[in-house]
Every structure is written in structure tokens, then in C-alpha cells.
Amino acid sequence: MATLDRYLDAMVKHRADALVFRADSPVAMVLSGAAKPVSSKPATEDQIVALLAEVLGPAYTPGLTGTRSFPYPSPSGPVNITVEEGVAGIVVMIEPGRAAPHHATTAGGTGRPRAPSPAGMPSVSMNGHRAAAAPAAAAPAAAAPARELAPYDSAELSAVSAGPSRTPSHIDELFHQMLDMKASDIHLKADVVPMVRVDGGIAPMPGRGPLSSETIARLVESITPERNKKEYAETNDSDFAYELPGRARMRCNVFRDLAGAGAVFRQIPSKVLTAEQLGLPKAVVDLCQNTKGLVVVTGPTGSGKSTTLAGMIDWINKNRNDHIITIEDPVEFVHKDIKCLVNQREVGVHTKGFKSALRAALREDPDIVLVGEMRDLETVAIAIETAETGHLVFGTLHTNTAPSTVDRLIDQFPSDRQSQIRLMLAESLKGVVAQTLLKKKGGGRVAALEILVVTSAVANLIREGKTFQIPSLMQTGRSLGMQTLNDSMIELVRNNVVEAAEAYAKAPNKKEFGMMLARAGHQGPWSAGKAEE
């Protein structure tokens, strides 16, 4: 009996929706919409490939990037095996019933259909904002002998599937379920069902019951570094990062509130998305080719600033021979040395703060410096000085548009210093990328980007304190890659990527955007003269 058939037999007996095999994760059985682990040890990519080769034989060729489906007449009944291979590794989903149509996407191809999912079942697709097609890691040949996965224990399987509101034994269970649901965040609050943010909206995590304050404290303590345990005891909150092997890093915040212990975790994919996968416009990539100056990426919390910056740093890492220093709180995306030497420093672990780390960076022979947050006047001042002294500096702010970003940088300084800062900024600022995330039709989210390229004309406006005229120059600078958020959003609406109402709700200038929608033939409150300023 093939090893895979044992799992399929258990799937049929338990009337499960599906089996999910994911590299470096325990085998999971989907029951009542929740993925529950059914193996005591994670399955390696080689083991999963060997399982497929054993039952599919020459019909399955490992290592092909994309999504493919195979019918398999198992002893327990016919099933459909969907295999997805990409930058995030291999994912296999097995569902009972007739096979879906065969899909094959070879390495370098386009169009990766998502693995079909039963209603209410967490998706296991690696597609969307977190990953895209790329050559998969080399896999063993189909003829390789099958290596046994740790067999499931029937008692253990009964325990993990005993009820939909089972308390997790380790917080990793919640993280795996969160990622299978393609959620960006998970919120834990005492005596409340764990909540997840999917496509921008908050919803209860399926198959989970309320967690007590004591349970949350126990789950969180198991992954909290000692330094942060002390900080939490003293201040009742703390930030740190946690690595979920093979799947993602988590940006963690633990705190206490009226209800008791609480926590919020945001997933940061283990694989850095490239500029191509993110679809960054040429004007944004061109900013990465500067040898000195300041580039600012802005947007509200959760708008994807870190993802965009990671894609830009990744482009530099692959196309330049430089020394990159990142200063983050905490370190999110981890960059391996490719063509560049990359040093990543975490505030509170490797340095006291952004200011001290930025000052120290000047003595560390950098070419590029990334400042995770320009939180205060002194950090902004040092960043501008660093850009002026022949370094390329990337930083973030929480402003909504490019012109307001310029104003925010200047307004942080006392009035008697603002004239000097305007002069310095006019010389050093190279570009601003402001972004916001919109819900896509059919699920997922997409970024709308406002791009300001600092030309000599823009620099003159900054120098003369006429930043209110910058939007006009952006309209006339489209040939240079400049665009406003409204321009980006109306393009997404025209291309049928987002709903008109969704774009209107996120538009910074609703009156102007309402007129753009009306001219494009979209009816709504904006076309009835109700658009707001």
C-alpha cells in the first residue's frame, strides 16, 4: 500500500474536505473549514515529491513551476491531486471526487490558476500578493525511491479533529491556519475568538473558540524573546519578530488591555517578492538606480510599504555591487547577500534606536541605507544629511500623498530651520512613492501608487516653498513616470481590477475622482453631485 494511500484512507474515514501537504509543514487535514495537523513532524519537499512519484509515476514531473491537476484512483476512491510549485515551495491539495481539468504551467510561464477549494475551506494557493511564479527549487527525479513520512497515529488524529473549537497546543497552529486563509493579520483578544484580516476586513477564524487571557499569555510566551518578556513585564507591550520555518516571518506586538492579554501578528512572507512580481512601475525601479539621494515610501499603516521597499532593495541586491544597511523595528524581510553585502540591524536588539543606528551607519561604509521609520526630527535630519553626503537613503512615513510627504518632512523642523531644510531637501530628495491597498474583484488586494519624481522643476517648488503646485507638475510629468493616486486608481477601475465604489472610498480627493469616474461612465454617489472634497 502506497504511503499516500494511508492518508487518503484517513481522509475518507473522517469525511474530510481535503488533505494538504506543504513543504516544511505537518500534513494537514481540512475538517469543517479548518486545517488540522495529522502528522507529528513536518514533511520535507523531497518526501512530498517522493509520495507523488510513487502514485503518479511518469505522469508527474517534479520541478515545473505552476499549478497542475492529476486524477488518481486510490484504493479509497477517486481523488484529484492538485500540485502547485513556486517560490514558496511545493503545496499539494488532495480532494475526494472527480478530477478537475488538467492545468500545466511550465517554468517561466504565466497564468497560474488557484487550486480549487471547497466552500469554506482555507485556500492553499501561493498566488496573489504574497507570491508569484518563479523557478522552483530542484526536486528529485520521479524515479527516486519513496521515503516514508512519519505515519499518523489514529489517537492523535482523533484528538486534533475532536471539535471545531479546539484550543491550539502551540501558536504555530494559528499561524499555519492564518496563512492558509491568505490572511494578513491575526488578532488575539481575551475571551474572543481569534480574528483574522482577509482582504482588508476583520473576520473570526473558522473552527476556533474564544481564548482566555491565560491561554493567550501562554501561547505568546512560548515565542517571546527574553528581552521582550522583560519589556512586556515593565511596560505591558512589546514588539518582536518570529520566524515560522519555511512559511513566513511574523511581526508581533503583545500588549495588555482591559480584557487581559492580547496580541497582533502580521505575516511577512519568507520569500521577498521581486519588483517584477509586485508589478512596480519603471519609474519606481529607476529610483533604485540613484547613487545618492533620499527616496521616501509612504502610506497608511498596512498599505504595503515594507513589501514595496523590500522589492526595491531586492532589485538593488540583484543588479548592483554595493553595501546595504537596513535599520528596522523589527527586521521584517530578510535579504540574503546576492551581488550586494547586506547588513540588517534591529532596533532594540542590535542598536538602541533609529538615530544612533543611522549615525553609526555613516562610519560603516554604506552605499545604501534603509531607515524603517523616520519617526522624529533628528532621524529625519540625519537621513537628509546622509543622502547629501553621497549615500542613497530609503525611508518611510505615514503620509497619504507625495506632496503632503514633502510638507511633513519640512514641517517637522522649527520655523527658523525650515528654509535651510527646503534647500537641503530640494538637493537630496529623488522621489516619493505613496501607496494604498484596494480590494480586488474576486478577492485579494492590489496597490495603487502615486509616484513623484523630483525633477529640477519640482526641486524649485520645494526650494521656494510652493509645494501646493506639485500636483500640477505631476499631471504634466506623466512621460517621466509620474502619476497621482487618482490616476492609478482610475486605471485599476478601467482595467476591471477593482470596483469603482472601492476606489472612490480610498481616493484622497473624492471630488476630482468622482468626476473621473463619471467621465468613465460609472454611476454612483459621485455622479449625483454628492462627491466630497
Side-chain angles (χ1 to χ4, degrees):
M1 186 180 197
T3 304
L4 182 62
D5 291 337
R6 301 176 188 175
Y7 287 98
L8 298 179
D9 183 54
M11 179 181 76
V12 172
K13 287 180 180 178
H14 287 267
R15 298 182 181 179
D17 297 319
L19 273 172
V20 180
F21 293 78
R22 188 188 299 272
D24 302 317
S25 300
V27 180
M29 186 178 289
V30 180
L31 293 153
S32 302
K36 301 178 184 298
V38 294
S39 66
S40 57
K41 295 180 181 180
T44 67
E45 184 164 317
D46 286 356
Q47 288 174 327
I48 296 172
V49 168
L51 285 177
L52 295 173
E54 185 180 17
V55 298
L56 298 179
Y60 168 64
T61 303
L64 293 182
T65 298
T67 302
R68 291 167 288 161
S69 294
F70 304 90
Y72 172 55
S74 80
S76 304
V79 297
N80 182 64
I81 302 176
T82 301
V83 182
E84 186 169 2
E85 296 183 66
V87 293
I90 186 170
V91 177
V92 177
M93 183 165 71
I94 304 176
E95 300 169 87
R98 292 189 303 170
H102 175 78
H103 299 288
T105 305
T106 57
T110 58
R112 300 180 55 201
R114 222 164 68 175
S117 303
M121 195 198 79
S123 170
V124 299
S125 174
M126 296 180 293
N127 216 338
H129 192 63
R130 295 206 316 267
R147 288 187 286 169
E148 292 284 318
L149 282 170
Y152 67 86
D153 180 83
S154 57
E156 178 190 9
L157 182 56
S158 298
V160 299
S161 60
S165 61
R166 186 180 64 88
T167 300
S169 59
H170 193 277
I171 199 165
D172 283 5
E173 287 184 38
L174 297 179
F175 291 157
H176 282 297
Q177 185 176 347
M178 161 198 175
L179 294 171
D180 286 339
M181 294 176 67
K182 298 171 71 174
S184 60
D185 303 80
I186 180 170
H187 295 249
L188 302 183
K189 179 182 177 181
D191 303 319
V192 175
V193 174
M195 306 291 284
V196 288
R197 185 179 294 277
V198 180
D199 296 342
I202 291 284
M205 179 174 272
R208 298 291 175 182
L211 301 178
S212 67
S213 178
E214 293 75 17
T215 299
I216 293 173
R218 173 179 60 80
L219 292 172
V220 171
E221 186 179 18
S222 66
I223 63 169
T224 306
E226 287 301 321
R227 177 187 71 85
N228 297 91
K229 289 179 182 177
K230 294 177 182 177
E231 184 179 44
Y232 178 70
E234 294 171 0
T235 66
N236 283 329
D237 57 55
S238 186
D239 296 298
F240 58 93
Y242 173 69
E243 180 84 27
L244 188 65
R247 294 208 65 184
R249 283 171 62 82
M250 296 289 171
R251 189 175 74 192
C252 315
N253 175 268
V254 296
F255 59 89
R256 294 190 68 84
D257 64 2
L258 285 173
V264 178
F265 305 93
R266 168 160 296 171
Q267 67 115 334
I268 305 156
S270 295
K271 302 290 184 181
V272 178
L273 298 183
T274 66
E276 293 78 13
Q277 289 170 335
L278 291 173
L280 295 182
K282 180 179 181 298
V284 175
V285 175
D286 287 346
L287 293 174
C288 301
Q289 301 186 43
N290 287 296
T291 55
K292 64 178 182 178
L294 176 65
V295 176
V296 185
V297 178
T298 78
T301 301
S303 61
K305 298 186 296 294
S306 296
T307 303
T308 296
L309 273 173
M312 296 172 78
I313 293 296
D314 178 74
W315 188 93
I316 293 172
N317 196 9
K318 292 174 178 174
N319 292 277
R320 294 174 57 167
N321 300 97
D322 289 318
H323 179 204
I324 303 171
I325 296 176
T326 76
I327 307 164
E328 303 169 75
D329 182 22
V331 170
E332 298 185 354
F333 293 90
V334 176
H335 298 271
K336 296 181 180 179
D337 299 341
I338 302 177
K339 284 190 173 182
C340 294
L341 175 66
V342 186
N343 292 114
Q344 296 188 257
R345 307 189 69 195
E346 183 167 317
V347 171
V349 178
H350 310 120
T351 180
K352 287 184 177 180
F354 286 102
K355 292 181 292 186
S356 56
L358 194 48
R359 286 195 183 280
L362 292 174
R363 300 187 294 274
E364 293 160 0
D365 187 35
D367 299 289
I368 294 105
V369 180
L370 183 149
V371 186
E373 289 184 43
M374 297 195 293
R375 293 175 174 172
D376 52 58
L377 183 152
E378 191 171 353
T379 303
V380 173
I382 301 170
I384 294 174
E385 291 169 11
T386 303
E388 274 206 319
T389 54
H391 305 85
L392 179 58
V393 179
F394 292 91
T396 67
L397 286 173
H398 289 92
T399 45
N400 294 322
T401 66
S404 65
T405 301
V406 178
D407 290 332
R408 174 73 63 84
L409 290 169
I410 295 169
D411 290 345
Q412 289 199 52
F413 293 86
S415 55
D416 59 342
R417 291 188 60 188
Q418 289 184 4
S419 295
Q420 177 193 4
I421 293 300
R422 283 195 195 96
L423 292 174
M424 295 174 68
L425 205 57
E427 293 296 324
S428 62
L429 188 64
K430 298 300 179 184
V432 178
V433 179
Q435 66 182 66
T436 189
L437 289 181
L438 306 176
K439 293 180 182 178
K440 293 173 64 176
K441 290 183 178 181
R445 289 191 289 178
V446 63
L449 301 180
E450 178 164 286
I451 304 169
L452 169 65
V453 179
V454 180
T455 61
S456 57
V458 174
N460 283 334
L461 292 181
I462 296 173
R463 193 178 294 112
E464 296 169 6
K466 298 179 179 179
T467 53
F468 61 90
Q469 295 182 14
I470 289 178
S472 297
L473 282 184
M474 293 176 68
Q475 294 285 356
T476 59
R478 291 178 181 175
S479 61
L480 300 174
M482 291 197 237
Q483 64 183 30
T484 66
L485 268 176
N486 280 353
D487 291 335
S488 179
M489 288 182 182
I490 197 67
E491 194 65 23
L492 291 172
V493 173
R494 284 175 180 153
N495 292 335
N496 206 32
V497 177
V498 302
E499 297 283 357
E502 167 69 7
Y504 179 73
K506 296 290 183 70
N509 186 331
K510 287 183 167 50
K511 183 176 181 180
E512 176 188 303
F513 191 69
M515 294 171 64
M516 296 170 76
L517 286 173
R519 285 197 297 268
H522 294 278
Q523 300 299 313
W526 51 85
S527 57
K530 299 178 182 178
E532 303 170 4
E533 289 285 358

mmCIF file of all heavy atoms in Angstrom, residues 96-133:
data_model
loop_
_atom_site.group_PDB
_atom_site.id
_atom_site.type_symbol
_atom_site.label_atom_id
_atom_site.label_comp_id
_atom_site.label_asym_id
_atom_site.label_seq_id
_atom_site.Cartn_x
_atom_site.Cartn_y
_atom_site.Cartn_z
ATOM 1 N N PRO A 96 -11.433 14.619 -2.486
ATOM 2 C CA PRO A 96 -12.186 13.464 -2.982
ATOM 3 C C PRO A 96 -13.061 13.846 -4.163
ATOM 4 O O PRO A 96 -13.383 15.025 -4.359
ATOM 5 C CB PRO A 96 -13.040 13.062 -1.772
ATOM 6 C CG PRO A 96 -13.158 14.300 -0.949
ATOM 7 C CD PRO A 96 -11.893 15.074 -1.164
ATOM 8 N N GLY A 97 -13.411 12.870 -4.975
ATOM 9 C CA GLY A 97 -14.317 13.139 -6.092
ATOM 10 C C GLY A 97 -13.599 13.141 -7.412
ATOM 11 O O GLY A 97 -12.432 12.762 -7.530
ATOM 12 N N ARG A 98 -14.297 13.629 -8.430
ATOM 13 C CA ARG A 98 -13.749 13.620 -9.789
ATOM 14 C C ARG A 98 -12.673 14.674 -9.934
ATOM 15 O O ARG A 98 -12.716 15.713 -9.298
ATOM 16 C CB ARG A 98 -14.863 13.863 -10.805
ATOM 17 C CG ARG A 98 -15.854 12.703 -10.879
ATOM 18 C CD ARG A 98 -16.793 12.892 -12.041
ATOM 19 N NE ARG A 98 -17.508 14.154 -11.947
ATOM 20 C CZ ARG A 98 -18.248 14.656 -12.926
ATOM 21 N NH1 ARG A 98 -18.320 14.011 -14.070
ATOM 22 N NH2 ARG A 98 -18.885 15.788 -12.759
ATOM 23 N N ALA A 99 -11.746 14.428 -10.819
ATOM 24 C CA ALA A 99 -10.641 15.349 -11.031
ATOM 25 C C ALA A 99 -11.098 16.588 -11.755
ATOM 26 O O ALA A 99 -11.999 16.557 -12.585
ATOM 27 C CB ALA A 99 -9.536 14.660 -11.839
ATOM 28 N N ALA A 100 -10.425 17.704 -11.429
ATOM 29 C CA ALA A 100 -10.646 18.950 -12.169
ATOM 30 C C ALA A 100 -9.847 18.900 -13.447
ATOM 31 O O ALA A 100 -8.962 18.078 -13.616
ATOM 32 C CB ALA A 100 -10.218 20.137 -11.311
ATOM 33 N N PRO A 101 -10.155 19.781 -14.423
ATOM 34 C CA PRO A 101 -9.396 19.788 -15.669
ATOM 35 C C PRO A 101 -7.919 19.987 -15.405
ATOM 36 O O PRO A 101 -7.542 20.683 -14.482
ATOM 37 C CB PRO A 101 -9.988 20.982 -16.423
ATOM 38 C CG PRO A 101 -11.338 21.174 -15.828
ATOM 39 C CD PRO A 101 -11.229 20.764 -14.411
ATOM 40 N N HIS A 102 -7.103 19.364 -16.251
ATOM 41 C CA HIS A 102 -5.653 19.448 -16.103
ATOM 42 C C HIS A 102 -5.161 20.848 -16.451
ATOM 43 O O HIS A 102 -5.549 21.419 -17.448
ATOM 44 C CB HIS A 102 -4.992 18.421 -17.022
ATOM 45 C CG HIS A 102 -3.499 18.508 -17.038
ATOM 46 N ND1 HIS A 102 -2.719 18.000 -16.034
ATOM 47 C CD2 HIS A 102 -2.662 19.076 -17.939
ATOM 48 C CE1 HIS A 102 -1.445 18.217 -16.329
ATOM 49 N NE2 HIS A 102 -1.384 18.865 -17.471
ATOM 50 N N HIS A 103 -4.304 21.393 -15.571
ATOM 51 C CA HIS A 103 -3.675 22.689 -15.845
ATOM 52 C C HIS A 103 -2.177 22.484 -15.772
ATOM 53 O O HIS A 103 -1.677 21.931 -14.803
ATOM 54 C CB HIS A 103 -4.073 23.735 -14.791
ATOM 55 C CG HIS A 103 -5.532 24.006 -14.744
ATOM 56 N ND1 HIS A 103 -6.194 24.689 -15.722
ATOM 57 C CD2 HIS A 103 -6.467 23.679 -13.812
ATOM 58 C CE1 HIS A 103 -7.477 24.778 -15.410
ATOM 59 N NE2 HIS A 103 -7.659 24.178 -14.258
ATOM 60 N N ALA A 104 -1.456 22.956 -16.734
ATOM 61 C CA ALA A 104 0.002 22.853 -16.685
ATOM 62 C C ALA A 104 0.607 24.201 -17.008
ATOM 63 O O ALA A 104 0.291 24.796 -18.017
ATOM 64 C CB ALA A 104 0.499 21.800 -17.681
ATOM 65 N N THR A 105 1.477 24.654 -16.132
ATOM 66 C CA THR A 105 2.180 25.916 -16.375
ATOM 67 C C THR A 105 3.651 25.651 -16.166
ATOM 68 O O THR A 105 4.075 25.352 -15.069
ATOM 69 C CB THR A 105 1.722 27.009 -15.395
ATOM 70 O OG1 THR A 105 0.311 27.127 -15.496
ATOM 71 C CG2 THR A 105 2.358 28.336 -15.722
ATOM 72 N N THR A 106 4.423 25.718 -17.216
ATOM 73 C CA THR A 106 5.833 25.400 -17.107
ATOM 74 C C THR A 106 6.599 26.577 -16.544
ATOM 75 O O THR A 106 6.101 27.676 -16.452
ATOM 76 C CB THR A 106 6.412 25.037 -18.488
ATOM 77 O OG1 THR A 106 6.173 26.136 -19.361
ATOM 78 C CG2 THR A 106 5.756 23.794 -19.034
ATOM 79 N N ALA A 107 7.871 26.313 -16.165
ATOM 80 C CA ALA A 107 8.703 27.369 -15.596
ATOM 81 C C ALA A 107 8.773 28.546 -16.535
ATOM 82 O O ALA A 107 8.986 28.409 -17.722
ATOM 83 C CB ALA A 107 10.108 26.817 -15.334
ATOM 84 N N GLY A 108 8.620 29.730 -15.958
ATOM 85 C CA GLY A 108 8.662 30.932 -16.764
ATOM 86 C C GLY A 108 7.358 31.271 -17.417
ATOM 87 O O GLY A 108 7.221 32.285 -18.070
ATOM 88 N N GLY A 109 6.335 30.406 -17.291
ATOM 89 C CA GLY A 109 5.051 30.656 -17.917
ATOM 90 C C GLY A 109 4.233 31.662 -17.154
ATOM 91 O O GLY A 109 4.618 32.173 -16.125
ATOM 92 N N THR A 110 3.047 31.945 -17.659
ATOM 93 C CA THR A 110 2.161 32.893 -16.995
ATOM 94 C C THR A 110 0.828 32.248 -16.746
ATOM 95 O O THR A 110 0.488 31.215 -17.323
ATOM 96 C CB THR A 110 1.959 34.146 -17.858
ATOM 97 O OG1 THR A 110 1.414 33.729 -19.112
ATOM 98 C CG2 THR A 110 3.241 34.894 -18.084
ATOM 99 N N GLY A 111 0.034 32.860 -15.881
ATOM 100 C CA GLY A 111 -1.312 32.382 -15.623
ATOM 101 C C GLY A 111 -1.304 31.153 -14.759
ATOM 102 O O GLY A 111 -1.249 30.033 -15.224
ATOM 103 N N ARG A 112 -1.327 31.354 -13.415
ATOM 104 C CA ARG A 112 -1.300 30.228 -12.509
ATOM 105 C C ARG A 112 -2.639 30.096 -11.832
ATOM 106 O O ARG A 112 -2.946 30.829 -10.910
ATOM 107 C CB ARG A 112 -0.195 30.418 -11.470
ATOM 108 C CG ARG A 112 1.156 30.530 -12.102
ATOM 109 C CD ARG A 112 2.206 30.727 -11.055
ATOM 110 N NE ARG A 112 2.119 29.653 -10.070
ATOM 111 C CZ ARG A 112 2.614 29.769 -8.864
ATOM 112 N NH1 ARG A 112 3.153 30.870 -8.475
ATOM 113 N NH2 ARG A 112 2.531 28.770 -8.015
ATOM 114 N N PRO A 113 -3.506 29.187 -12.304
ATOM 115 C CA PRO A 113 -4.817 29.038 -11.684
ATOM 116 C C PRO A 113 -4.674 28.584 -10.250
ATOM 117 O O PRO A 113 -3.774 27.843 -9.917
ATOM 118 C CB PRO A 113 -5.506 27.969 -12.541
ATOM 119 C CG PRO A 113 -4.392 27.233 -13.190
ATOM 120 C CD PRO A 113 -3.277 28.205 -13.368
ATOM 121 N N ARG A 114 -5.571 29.041 -9.395
ATOM 122 C CA ARG A 114 -5.526 28.691 -8.000
ATOM 123 C C ARG A 114 -6.073 27.289 -7.809
ATOM 124 O O ARG A 114 -6.972 26.856 -8.512
ATOM 125 C CB ARG A 114 -6.360 29.677 -7.190
ATOM 126 C CG ARG A 114 -5.680 30.069 -5.901
ATOM 127 C CD ARG A 114 -6.294 31.294 -5.334
ATOM 128 N NE ARG A 114 -7.661 31.061 -4.879
ATOM 129 C CZ ARG A 114 -8.366 31.973 -4.247
ATOM 130 N NH1 ARG A 114 -7.871 33.141 -3.998
ATOM 131 N NH2 ARG A 114 -9.592 31.723 -3.875
ATOM 132 N N ALA A 115 -5.529 26.589 -6.829
ATOM 133 C CA ALA A 115 -6.050 25.263 -6.532
ATOM 134 C C ALA A 115 -7.501 25.379 -6.104
ATOM 135 O O ALA A 115 -7.845 26.217 -5.297
ATOM 136 C CB ALA A 115 -5.224 24.629 -5.414
ATOM 137 N N PRO A 116 -8.389 24.553 -6.697
ATOM 138 C CA PRO A 116 -9.802 24.663 -6.342
ATOM 139 C C PRO A 116 -10.001 24.356 -4.875
ATOM 140 O O PRO A 116 -9.351 23.496 -4.319
ATOM 141 C CB PRO A 116 -10.471 23.606 -7.229
ATOM 142 C CG PRO A 116 -9.371 22.664 -7.607
ATOM 143 C CD PRO A 116 -8.125 23.459 -7.645
ATOM 144 N N SER A 117 -10.932 25.069 -4.230
ATOM 145 C CA SER A 117 -11.178 24.898 -2.812
ATOM 146 C C SER A 117 -12.650 24.694 -2.566
ATOM 147 O O SER A 117 -13.482 25.407 -3.107
ATOM 148 C CB SER A 117 -10.720 26.139 -2.038
ATOM 149 O OG SER A 117 -9.364 26.390 -2.283
ATOM 150 N N PRO A 118 -13.014 23.730 -1.705
ATOM 151 C CA PRO A 118 -14.412 23.571 -1.347
ATOM 152 C C PRO A 118 -14.895 24.787 -0.604
ATOM 153 O O PRO A 118 -14.109 25.520 -0.020
ATOM 154 C CB PRO A 118 -14.397 22.329 -0.419
ATOM 155 C CG PRO A 118 -13.066 21.685 -0.610
ATOM 156 C CD PRO A 118 -12.147 22.734 -1.083
ATOM 157 N N ALA A 119 -16.193 25.012 -0.607
ATOM 158 C CA ALA A 119 -16.748 26.172 0.077
ATOM 159 C C ALA A 119 -16.337 26.153 1.532
ATOM 160 O O ALA A 119 -16.447 25.155 2.215
ATOM 161 C CB ALA A 119 -18.274 26.149 -0.034
ATOM 162 N N GLY A 120 -15.852 27.305 1.995
ATOM 163 C CA GLY A 120 -15.493 27.454 3.395
ATOM 164 C C GLY A 120 -14.121 26.917 3.745
ATOM 165 O O GLY A 120 -13.689 26.998 4.876
ATOM 166 N N MET A 121 -13.404 26.314 2.777
ATOM 167 C CA MET A 121 -12.100 25.744 3.089
ATOM 168 C C MET A 121 -11.013 26.762 2.856
ATOM 169 O O MET A 121 -11.033 27.487 1.875
ATOM 170 C CB MET A 121 -11.846 24.525 2.209
ATOM 171 C CG MET A 121 -10.695 23.662 2.698
ATOM 172 S SD MET A 121 -10.105 22.574 1.425
ATOM 173 C CE MET A 121 -9.115 23.679 0.464
ATOM 174 N N PRO A 122 -10.004 26.879 3.752
ATOM 175 C CA PRO A 122 -8.937 27.828 3.534
ATOM 176 C C PRO A 122 -8.192 27.521 2.251
ATOM 177 O O PRO A 122 -7.862 26.378 1.972
ATOM 178 C CB PRO A 122 -8.018 27.611 4.762
ATOM 179 C CG PRO A 122 -8.831 26.827 5.740
ATOM 180 C CD PRO A 122 -9.825 26.072 4.954
ATOM 181 N N SER A 123 -7.907 28.532 1.464
ATOM 182 C CA SER A 123 -7.159 28.330 0.227
ATOM 183 C C SER A 123 -5.713 28.011 0.528
ATOM 184 O O SER A 123 -5.134 28.521 1.468
ATOM 185 C CB SER A 123 -7.222 29.601 -0.626
ATOM 186 O OG SER A 123 -6.325 29.510 -1.694
ATOM 187 N N VAL A 124 -5.091 27.148 -0.277
ATOM 188 C CA VAL A 124 -3.688 26.843 -0.097
ATOM 189 C C VAL A 124 -2.859 27.426 -1.227
ATOM 190 O O VAL A 124 -1.711 27.089 -1.399
ATOM 191 C CB VAL A 124 -3.442 25.312 -0.024
ATOM 192 C CG1 VAL A 124 -4.184 24.722 1.139
ATOM 193 C CG2 VAL A 124 -3.846 24.623 -1.314
ATOM 194 N N SER A 125 -3.450 28.310 -2.017
ATOM 195 C CA SER A 125 -2.723 28.882 -3.133
ATOM 196 C C SER A 125 -1.570 29.735 -2.668
ATOM 197 O O SER A 125 -1.654 30.409 -1.663
ATOM 198 C CB SER A 125 -3.657 29.744 -3.981
ATOM 199 O OG SER A 125 -2.933 30.409 -4.976
ATOM 200 N N MET A 126 -0.440 29.691 -3.404
ATOM 201 C CA MET A 126 0.679 30.583 -3.133
ATOM 202 C C MET A 126 0.595 31.802 -4.022
ATOM 203 O O MET A 126 1.518 32.589 -4.106
ATOM 204 C CB MET A 126 2.001 29.864 -3.383
ATOM 205 C CG MET A 126 2.230 28.705 -2.440
ATOM 206 S SD MET A 126 3.786 27.881 -2.760
ATOM 207 C CE MET A 126 3.490 27.179 -4.360
ATOM 208 N N ASN A 127 -0.524 31.950 -4.723
ATOM 209 C CA ASN A 127 -0.650 33.043 -5.660
ATOM 210 C C ASN A 127 -1.034 34.316 -4.952
ATOM 211 O O ASN A 127 -1.132 34.367 -3.753
ATOM 212 C CB ASN A 127 -1.707 32.689 -6.714
ATOM 213 C CG ASN A 127 -1.344 33.229 -8.073
ATOM 214 O OD1 ASN A 127 -0.568 34.165 -8.174
ATOM 215 N ND2 ASN A 127 -1.903 32.641 -9.105
ATOM 216 N N GLY A 128 -1.306 35.379 -5.691
ATOM 217 C CA GLY A 128 -1.781 36.623 -5.114
ATOM 218 C C GLY A 128 -0.634 37.529 -4.761
ATOM 219 O O GLY A 128 0.442 37.499 -5.336
ATOM 220 N N HIS A 129 -0.843 38.373 -3.726
ATOM 221 C CA HIS A 129 0.132 39.408 -3.391
ATOM 222 C C HIS A 129 1.393 38.844 -2.775
ATOM 223 O O HIS A 129 2.434 39.458 -2.809
ATOM 224 C CB HIS A 129 -0.505 40.397 -2.416
ATOM 225 C CG HIS A 129 0.292 41.643 -2.228
ATOM 226 N ND1 HIS A 129 0.534 42.513 -3.258
ATOM 227 C CD2 HIS A 129 0.919 42.151 -1.146
ATOM 228 C CE1 HIS A 129 1.255 43.525 -2.812
ATOM 229 N NE2 HIS A 129 1.508 43.324 -1.534
ATOM 230 N N ARG A 130 1.320 37.621 -2.185
ATOM 231 C CA ARG A 130 2.456 37.126 -1.438
ATOM 232 C C ARG A 130 3.467 36.392 -2.300
ATOM 233 O O ARG A 130 4.606 36.265 -1.942
ATOM 234 C CB ARG A 130 1.988 36.175 -0.336
ATOM 235 C CG ARG A 130 1.162 36.825 0.726
ATOM 236 C CD ARG A 130 1.280 36.042 2.004
ATOM 237 N NE ARG A 130 1.177 34.615 1.809
ATOM 238 C CZ ARG A 130 0.047 33.950 1.902
ATOM 239 N NH1 ARG A 130 -1.063 34.555 2.171
ATOM 240 N NH2 ARG A 130 0.015 32.647 1.722
ATOM 241 N N ALA A 131 3.056 35.816 -3.409
ATOM 242 C CA ALA A 131 3.987 35.045 -4.198
ATOM 243 C C ALA A 131 3.549 35.015 -5.635
ATOM 244 O O ALA A 131 2.404 35.241 -5.966
ATOM 245 C CB ALA A 131 4.084 33.619 -3.662
ATOM 246 N N ALA A 132 4.491 34.734 -6.516
ATOM 247 C CA ALA A 132 4.169 34.621 -7.930
ATOM 248 C C ALA A 132 5.082 33.580 -8.538
ATOM 249 O O ALA A 132 6.015 33.103 -7.922
ATOM 250 C CB ALA A 132 4.339 35.964 -8.629
ATOM 251 N N ALA A 133 4.790 33.232 -9.807
ATOM 252 C CA ALA A 133 5.542 32.161 -10.435
ATOM 253 C C ALA A 133 7.002 32.491 -10.540
ATOM 254 O O ALA A 133 7.388 33.578 -10.907
ATOM 255 C CB ALA A 133 4.969 31.901 -11.835
#
